[in-house]
Amino acid sequence: MLKTVKFIAFIIVLAAAAVLPQGTAGESAKYEYRYLIDMPTAGILDKGMVGVTTDVLPAGVVVAKMEVGVFQNVSFGISYGAANLIGSGKPNWYELPGVNLRVRLLNETLLLPALTIGFDSQGKGDEFENPKRFAIKSPGFFAAASKNFLLLGYLSLHGAVNYSLEKNDGDNFINLFVGAEKTLGPNFSLIAEYDFALNDNAASAFGDGKGYFNLGLRWAIGSGFTLGFDLRDLLQNKRWNPNAADRALRIEYLQSIF
């Protein structure tokens, strides 16, 4: 119980302490997405920026992540979460905190996309013991490219390749993502991503071979505050619960600390 209270207090303190700049959704967005839904992008926090993101997923799963732009084009973050944090009964805390690091190798130009490499050990959903892995595997090592276009606002296209270290299910193949964001006026964005799940389609894996297709809506509610609503696994790929799309929420805050 004490661990639960400390975790919730951690989220509240981070949120309440901010004098917040603009969010990440819509044509008026000033800052970049670092992830669409599960997919890493080439976005990165500017030096001196702090980002706090909380995902609320089915089965009472809550995952909180804090990222800091430590140098120009270099950011670092930590994350932690639990299943059954929302609901009744004892929360199932993740065994270890997640860590993430990203380095921007190439800034976007008129002809070339932005290119970022990084590492993220944070998976999502339940953390299973046999095999040892998250329901949605962590990205692990990744490289991501992102390009923006003017099209009735902005259209952003994203691609990523990753290699997850969660391979106890015997499926350690390199994986691919593709995704897009379309702005809808100054404060809203529609996002979509497809996870090929090439590392989650073996006989002992959790995916059924169709990949994960996710849709999301982002709304820049106020200064520095972005709210998201996601529909996850629209192709009903997960074997352990092949039902209609999962519904999830995302809350993001951004703050400059210097």
Side-chain angles (χ1 to χ4, degrees):
M1 181 63 183
L2 181 59
K3 206 171 187 180
T4 303
V5 172
K6 287 182 178 179
F7 180 77
I8 295 173
F10 170 73
I11 297 172
I12 293 173
V13 168
L14 287 174
V19 179
L20 300 169
Q22 190 174 348
T24 52
E27 297 170 22
S28 299
K30 188 176 180 182
Y31 301 106
E32 303 171 325
Y33 291 106
R34 284 89 64 211
Y35 297 84
L36 290 181
I37 298 175
D38 294 331
M39 173 187 175
T41 73
I44 197 165
L45 288 175
D46 293 334
K47 180 181 178 181
M49 290 295 301
V50 172
V52 179
T53 305
T54 302
D55 284 310
V56 183
L57 306 171
V61 173
V62 177
V63 181
K65 176 182 294 185
M66 183 174 69
E67 302 165 89
V68 181
V70 290
F71 304 108
Q72 191 64 33
N73 290 330
V74 178
S75 69
F76 174 78
I78 58 173
S79 55
Y80 194 54
N84 201 40
L85 184 62
I86 297 175
S88 60
K90 182 180 179 181
N92 299 316
W93 294 97
Y94 293 163
E95 181 178 354
L96 296 170
V99 296
N100 63 84
L101 172 71
R102 56 177 60 212
V103 179
R104 171 75 64 78
L105 298 181
L106 181 67
N107 289 318
E108 182 179 355
T109 66
L110 183 63
L111 298 178
L112 297 176
L115 179 63
T116 294
I117 60 172
F119 174 79
D120 189 347
S121 65
Q122 185 64 71
K124 292 181 179 177
D126 286 308
E127 186 177 23
F128 296 97
E129 290 296 329
N130 187 23
K132 184 67 175 176
R133 55 163 288 181
F134 287 97
I136 301 298
K137 286 185 174 182
S138 60
F141 295 99
F142 67 86
S146 301
K147 188 76 175 74
N148 297 292
F149 302 90
L150 285 172
L151 180 64
L152 300 176
Y154 293 100
L155 171 67
S156 303
L157 301 181
H158 307 271
V161 57
N162 75 292
Y163 181 78
S164 178
L165 298 184
E166 295 176 54
K167 49 190 179 181
N168 290 331
D169 58 0
D171 197 345
N172 59 349
F173 206 75
I174 293 175
N175 187 40
L176 299 173
F177 290 88
V178 291
E181 175 209 4
K182 179 66 186 74
T183 59
L184 304 173
N187 300 318
F188 289 89
S189 289
L190 180 67
I191 59 177
E193 66 178 25
Y194 180 67
D195 175 359
F196 286 81
L198 302 177
N199 61 351
D200 195 15
N201 59 7
S204 59
F206 290 1
D208 198 32
K210 297 187 287 287
Y212 295 97
F213 178 56
N214 305 321
L215 287 176
L217 181 67
R218 297 291 179 266
W219 178 21
I221 291 179
S223 184
F225 181 26
T226 303
L227 179 64
F229 175 73
D230 299 326
L231 294 175
R232 303 166 58 89
D233 193 21
L234 288 163
L235 300 180
Q236 301 181 29
N237 182 61
K238 54 185 182 300
R239 292 176 180 170
W240 74 93
N241 186 21
N243 297 317
D246 293 337
R247 298 175 298 277
L249 293 175
R250 173 168 294 177
I251 305 169
E252 181 186 53
Y253 293 90
L254 293 173
Q255 173 186 354
S256 176
I257 55 175
F258 60 85

